[in-house]
Amino acid sequence: MIRIENISKLHQGRPVLKDVSLTIDEGTNMGLIGPGGAGKSLLLKIVCGLVSPDGGKVFIDDIDVHSLSPTELADLRFRIGMLFQNYALFDFMNVAQNIAFPLHQEGGHSDEEIDARVEQALIDISLPGIGHQYPNELSGGMKKRVSFARSVIRRPPILFYDDPTAGLDPVTSSKIFILLQKMKTEGGVTSVTISHDIKGIRDICDQFALLDEGELIFVGTHDEIEACDIPMVQKFWQGYSDDELDT
Amino acid sequence: MHRLASKIERPFAILGEKAMKWADITGGLFLLIWQIFWNLLPWNWDFDGPEIWRNMYRVGVQSFPIVVVTAVLVGAIMVIQSGLYIEQYQAHGLLGWGAGYAILREVGPILIGLMFSGRVGANNTAELGTMKVTDQIDALRALAIDPVAYLVVPRFLSMIVMMFLLVVVGNFTALIGGAVTSQFLLGVDMMLFYQSVVTYVLLDDLWHGLIKSVMFGFAIAVISCYFGLATRGGAVGVGRAVNASVVGSAIAIFAIDYVMAFGSL
């Protein structure tokens, strides 16, 4: 279970997260939505201990993430997989090395086992035979899928996806969502998915949280968000704008 | 009244801002040094031989041509500059000493250090900076890997070792450059040049320069890694970080040189 308690964060004196509290139960797939610049990615980085909050606490399975020593935090991170918004593939490694990297670092796996798992991962993301290529030779969609494979190769029980379909065409986006759906159906995974693709995450998330200007303004299920009468929530969920454009 | 107050406050605000920035950099540098040594403790050190070897090749072997060219020219310049006085006083036997002393003790390590910081240090900062702004450093941390242990320690060790070796090679080639120039430009026999170096230049002079090279390697490694890891703000930020790294390394080289020269008095 992930428990976020009263998280606040300032950036250059300006509050970017204001007293955010959220509980994600084990096995829940939470969709974190909201306009750009609302603080979604920052919240995700705070949850997995990459950024320290100015106030509040984050508990993963009742462990206070930000009170851990570097070694304890590293141990916790072995149980977390993260897909970054801009891929974050290591330029100096080829695709196979990128995917195999978490397994090498974890230790206890033979080279044959790692090779087999990498090969299977490439098949799972529909990119067999590209293991020798380097990230700069791949398209955005391919990078995203490789990054996905790297984040799940250790089969972590907690997964964070930061805008997995940002900048992708609809066909590639649907391929990514199929992968996320597969992770969901395999079960046992607690995940948080940030996305602007409402249509896409409707099917893969059980719960939704909407963050606007650093404030959490809604948390609820699919039915609850449909029935919610907060204008901002409806605007975002239905994808319309009140503003008129000059023509 | 309000305008006057803000005018009076402004210089203090600027001063305070600069002081905070310098304190941040100084604190960051010392923190990085602490983290590096922490990771080098025998019970913490996860020795990654292939990575260190790869870094040594990259920072050392690939810098070899540029160091050799610089060193040969430095040797030649030292001889040409001393040539005028050598001719005037007919002190041909002192040519090797003059050039050798200056090369081994001062000019060799300093110029190779500056070349090293321009080539290797800048490259290192750009690489780490790019990794920072593209979330690769965060990705390492998210995969439970300490970026200092994985990225900085191998670079730190490689840069110190290779800076030392490059100065050894550079000293040797600078003396060859000096000897050849003295023979063909000033007509001073190469053997006389060699005898002069061997007779008058002390082992202490050589060691003085080599200790400097280790100190320079240390400073360039720490500064270039620090500015790389502290990069913010996309491609523009990487450019700024590289600039800060090269300027910082150059200042560190001259400051260390001054302290060591003063200390050896």
Side-chain angles (χ1 to χ4, degrees), chain A residues 189-207:
Chain A
V189 173
T190 308
S191 72
V192 180
T193 307
I194 293 178
S195 184
H196 294 109
D197 188 342
I198 301 297
K199 207 176 135 196
I201 63 164
R202 271 178 186 178
D203 299 331
I204 61 155
C205 294
D206 319 307
Q207 284 213 314

Side-chain angles (χ1 to χ4, degrees), chain A residues 2 19 26 32 41 68 82 95 110 119 133 156 177 187-188 193 201 209:
Chain A
I2 301 166
D19 209 23
E26 203 171 319
L32 189 56
S41 297
L68 297 176
M82 182 150 182
V95 167
S110 66
E119 207 171 314
Q133 291 189 25
F177 280 120
T193 307
I201 63 164

Side-chain angles (χ1 to χ4, degrees), chain A residues 45 49-50 74 77-78 80 84 86 88-93 101-102 105 150 154, chain B residues 46 51 127 130-131 133-145 150-151:
Chain A
K45 284 186 176 180
L50 292 174
R77 282 178 180 151
F78 276 115
I80 298 173
F84 285 83
N86 49 3
L89 292 174
F90 304 122
D91 300 326
F92 52 93
M93 293 180 188
F101 188 67
Q105 294 302 317
R150 187 181 66 183
R154 274 202 296 227
Chain B
D46 186 13
E51 184 61 22
E127 205 173 285
T130 305
M131 287 185 76
V133 299
T134 54
D135 280 342
Q136 291 178 56
I137 302 285
D138 273 348
L140 277 175
R141 293 170 62 208
L143 290 166
I145 294 147
Y150 185 72
L151 294 172

